[in-house]
Amino acid sequence: MDLKSSTAALGYTTARPATLPQPGDDGVEKTFAAAAQGLSDTIRNAEQTAMSSMTGGADPHALVQALAQTELAVETAITIRDKVVEAYQEILRMPV
């Protein structure tokens, strides 16, 4: 098999753009933005419920439920962060 350096360079040049991320509305960015917004909404809801409970406007059951939802959301975000960091570190360990 005869490979010339110009042929290999041309093949690499044409293949390189396929590896670049394509910006768009239907990608990972939109998914992560929606997840971050959901986490923010959950935390905001728990804070409002806690303030309302302190002033006597909400029952303690609603406060416990809001805090449990917030705890679950934060634990999920931490787990996702840990997995992303782990994947990044694994990529850095790959031989080039």
Side-chain angles (χ1 to χ4, degrees), residues 12-38:
Y12 177 76
T13 305
T14 57
R16 185 70 180 155
T19 61
L20 296 175
Q22 300 296 323
D25 293 332
D26 60 333
V28 175
E29 299 161 354
K30 188 174 183 180
T31 304
F32 278 122
Q37 185 63 41

Side-chain angles (χ1 to χ4, degrees), residues 28-91:
V28 175
E29 299 161 354
K30 188 174 183 180
T31 304
F32 278 122
Q37 185 63 41
L39 176 64
S40 176
D41 291 344
T42 302
I43 292 172
R44 188 175 299 114
N45 182 29
E47 288 176 348
Q48 290 174 351
T49 305
M51 286 188 279
S52 180
S53 179
M54 287 180 202
T55 60
D59 62 322
H61 178 69
L63 176 63
V64 171
Q65 184 178 8
L67 292 177
Q69 288 175 347
T70 302
E71 182 181 7
L72 180 64
V74 169
E75 287 177 358
T76 303
I78 290 171
T79 302
I80 291 171
R81 181 209 57 195
D82 291 346
K83 291 292 184 180
V84 169
V85 168
E86 182 180 326
Y88 179 73
Q89 289 173 343
E90 189 67 29
I91 290 170

